[in-house]
Amino acid sequence: MSPSIPGFEYRSIPGADGVGIHTAIGGSGTPIMLLHGFPQTHLMWRHVATALAADHTVIAPDLRGYGASEKPVEGASTYSKRTMGQDAVAVASALGHDRFALVGHDRGALVAFRAALDHPEAVTHAAFLDVLPTLDTWESLRGVSAAVGFHLYLMAQPPGLAETMIANSSDAFFGYFLDVWTKNPAAIPAEYRRAYLDASAGAVASIVADYRATATIDIAHDQADADLGRQLRMPVSVVQQDWGAALGYDATALWKRWAPDLAHYTTDAGHFMAEEAPEEVEAVIRELLTR
């Protein structure tokens, strides 16, 4: 039996185009939605979610194409962050929340970024963990240092090769990131690591489609907004490892262009900070909600 977040109920809720979004719901109070990253599921939020549920309604979905959510066949916009952001808004609305705070990690942060840009009337506060916006990500990966993002380039290829390669060695591929992106392996116990690997093995095509969208349609959407000077209107918090020092960019300045009301933090935790440093992440979210 796969693990779950203690005390949370589970429902499948229609997202954009009726796609079923597997969702954990717990607590009561003002709503906060937590969106997971790669190669994980909503379970990565288990510590933060239970802490926030003491005084908030916490909504933790599996992104479309991940975990137990439905995995529609790839189309031109099926896995665009715009469509995935619409999933988030639809799930919150179905639960009776027209306005909610939105927190995303990794892939979920890119979804949260797009949802906040597209739906400022719905997203009251936004937090992004360990990413840059899509345009800035691609512009920051240059020369040999870009090797750290090799998976971005692999999954940007036309359909076929990446899916075959990853499916043929899914535990090695997805396990690599769980291993090298964490500073404290004990933060991801064996049962959760196994749950992430099994979920990812069953979602290779949709995970690749999600990444392929970030090299195609997501760039077009973000570039259009950048050209128009659109920015996030709500208070924003960003927590990142110090990738700027490693790759030669000013992360705070990059985020400030998109988010004028910004609090930017660096962490000593690894990429999977919601599991390695849940109290730190919870504190950032709670501070954000006071702004």
Side-chain angles (χ1 to χ4, degrees):
M1 185 174 182
S2 23
S4 59
I5 301 179
F8 276 52
E9 66 167 308
Y10 282 79
R11 294 170 53 185
S12 180
I13 299 173
D17 305 321
V19 171
I21 305 298
H22 181 69
T23 307
I25 309 115
S28 62
T30 54
I32 304 173
M33 181 176 290
L34 308 175
L35 301 179
H36 68 86
F38 163 91
Q40 299 186 298
T41 69
H42 74 283
L43 291 171
M44 61 153 284
W45 293 111
R46 60 194 179 278
H47 304 305
V48 175
T50 52
L52 291 174
D55 49 1
H56 292 279
T57 297
V58 179
I59 306 163
D62 286 339
L63 299 174
R64 70 161 57 200
Y66 288 78
S69 287
E70 290 185 356
K71 302 165 181 64
V73 175
E74 180 181 8
S77 63
T78 303
Y79 290 96
S80 73
K81 303 308 155 293
R82 172 158 287 158
T83 299
M84 296 170 82
Q86 290 168 350
D87 288 338
V89 174
V91 166
S93 179
L95 292 171
H97 306 296
D98 293 330
R99 289 171 59 77
F100 60 100
L102 186 55
V103 182
H105 173 257
D106 189 82
R107 308 304 295 171
L110 299 181
V111 174
F113 176 78
R114 174 46 54 191
L117 275 173
D118 286 353
H119 304 279
E121 75 291 345
V123 179
T124 63
H125 302 76
F128 310 113
L129 275 55
D130 221 28
V131 296
L132 290 175
T134 296
L135 287 179
D136 300 303
T137 294
W138 290 113
E139 291 172 3
S140 299
L141 294 173
R142 298 179 182 277
V144 174
S145 64
V148 71
F150 77 92
H151 60 300
L152 300 175
Y153 295 92
L154 172 63
M155 292 190 275
Q157 303 310 310
L161 179 62
E163 291 89 335
T164 299
M165 292 175 63
I166 295 169
N168 285 342
S169 54
S170 65
D171 274 13
F173 182 78
F174 296 116
Y176 170 84
F177 300 102
L178 293 174
D179 293 339
V180 302
W181 286 352
T182 184
K183 293 183 178 180
N184 175 19
I188 306 178
E191 68 172 320
Y192 291 96
R193 190 178 193 278
R194 187 70 257 163
Y196 298 147
L197 292 177
D198 289 347
S200 296
V204 171
S206 50
I207 289 173
V208 174
D210 166 34
Y211 272 85
R212 186 176 291 117
T214 295
T216 52
I217 192 170
D218 294 341
I219 291 176
H221 290 159
D222 283 12
Q223 187 64 62
D225 283 334
D227 291 345
L228 292 172
R230 291 186 66 202
Q231 295 177 311
L232 298 167
R233 302 179 193 172
M234 67 290 298
V236 170
S237 290
V238 173
V239 188
Q240 296 183 282
Q241 299 177 88
D242 198 3
W243 286 110
L247 298 177
Y249 61 81
D250 184 338
T252 303
L254 292 180
W255 272 108
K256 194 77 172 178
R257 293 189 309 195
W258 291 100
D261 186 355
L262 173 70
H264 188 276
Y265 308 90
T266 55
T267 180
D268 292 328
H271 178 67
F272 302 109
M273 57 190 70
E275 290 166 292
E276 292 190 56
E279 296 87 357
E280 180 182 346
V281 171
E282 179 197 354
V284 168
I285 295 171
R286 289 191 178 279
E287 187 283 329
L288 169 67
L289 297 176
T290 67
R291 288 160 49 204

